[in-house]
Amino acid sequence: MGVVYLATDTRLKRDVALKVLHEQFTADTDYVERFLQEYEIAHRLHHSSIVRCHELGVADDHAYLAMEYFGAGDLRDRLREGLTPVQALKIFAQIARALGAIHEAGVIHRDLKPHNIMFRDQNHLAIVDFGGAKSVDDKVGLTKVGHVVGTPNFMSPEQVMGKPLDARSDLYSL
């Protein structure tokens, strides 16, 4: 849906991740709506292990989302390096607590994978990328019948089959 850049917030003097909607999608109202929804969902979630979204805007006809920058890599990198059982359990517990907050807020992430688990530092992580997330109370939805959102290797069976989802789908991905 977009490309992510490292940028500097000149007002607050901090690095941010700047997600810019691909130009090819700016004329598609479904993609624009999903982009706006990503900000709205992530912005209302408040937990130490969930990305902080700072700003949603448009500049020169480009929609962008400014969010917290993570300089310590992602879980995919950590898995490649190898984890001790204790490290793995600590990471698992942080992700599970964050999912608890997400689900309590009535949201299903739908794309939980190592690439979407970012680290602030050696010990503190955050779930990112709410572009595929869905509010449980959203009866209309942006996902068309027969389409699925997520990454196949991490999807629950019901998600792959395009069936209704609940929090258990994210737990399967975890």
Side-chain angles (χ1 to χ4, degrees):
M1 248 177 56
V3 62
V4 179
Y5 299 99
L6 173 60
T8 301
D9 181 329
T10 55
R11 282 185 319 228
L12 299 175
K13 311 271 191 277
R14 66 178 172 196
D15 286 338
V16 295
L18 193 67
K19 185 174 187 177
V20 180
L21 183 64
H22 277 298
E23 194 172 324
Q24 68 198 46
F25 298 127
T26 56
D28 187 323
T29 55
D30 287 343
Y31 280 98
V32 172
E33 186 63 31
R34 189 175 296 284
F35 194 77
L36 297 173
Q37 179 179 286
E38 175 176 5
Y39 173 78
E40 291 166 3
I41 287 175
H43 189 70
R44 73 179 162 133
L45 297 171
H46 301 284
H47 188 276
S48 61
S49 293
I50 297 173
V51 64
R52 293 181 201 105
C53 287
H54 305 305
E55 182 179 352
L56 173 69
V58 178
D60 299 325
D61 295 328
H62 295 283
Y64 67 87
L65 173 58
M67 63 191 112
E68 179 180 9
Y69 168 68
F70 298 94
D74 64 27
L75 181 56
R76 181 180 48 185
D77 295 334
R78 301 262 175 114
L79 291 171
R80 281 189 202 127
E81 295 167 7
L83 298 171
T84 68
V86 171
Q87 289 171 320
L89 284 171
K90 286 180 179 179
I91 290 169
F92 184 88
Q94 282 186 70
I95 298 168
R97 283 192 294 275
L99 280 178
I102 292 167
H103 296 154
E104 232 174 76
V107 173
I108 304 168
H109 188 279
R110 300 197 304 179
D111 197 20
L112 192 66
K113 59 186 177 183
H115 182 70
N116 287 339
I117 308 298
M118 302 293 296
F119 287 86
R120 289 186 179 95
D121 57 40
Q122 190 60 34
N123 299 309
H124 300 94
L125 61 81
I127 295 176
V128 302
D129 194 358
F130 286 83
K134 178 176 177 45
S135 289
V136 175
D137 58 357
D138 180 10
K139 301 302 179 206
V140 178
L142 295 171
T143 307
K144 294 175 177 42
V145 175
H147 289 91
V148 293
V149 172
T151 304
N153 288 343
F154 301 97
M155 288 180 174
S156 64
E158 62 274 13
Q159 190 172 1
V160 170
M161 294 185 286
K163 293 186 176 181
L165 303 179
D166 60 32
R168 294 174 291 183
S169 185
D170 283 344
L171 294 177
Y172 180 92
S173 298
L174 175 60

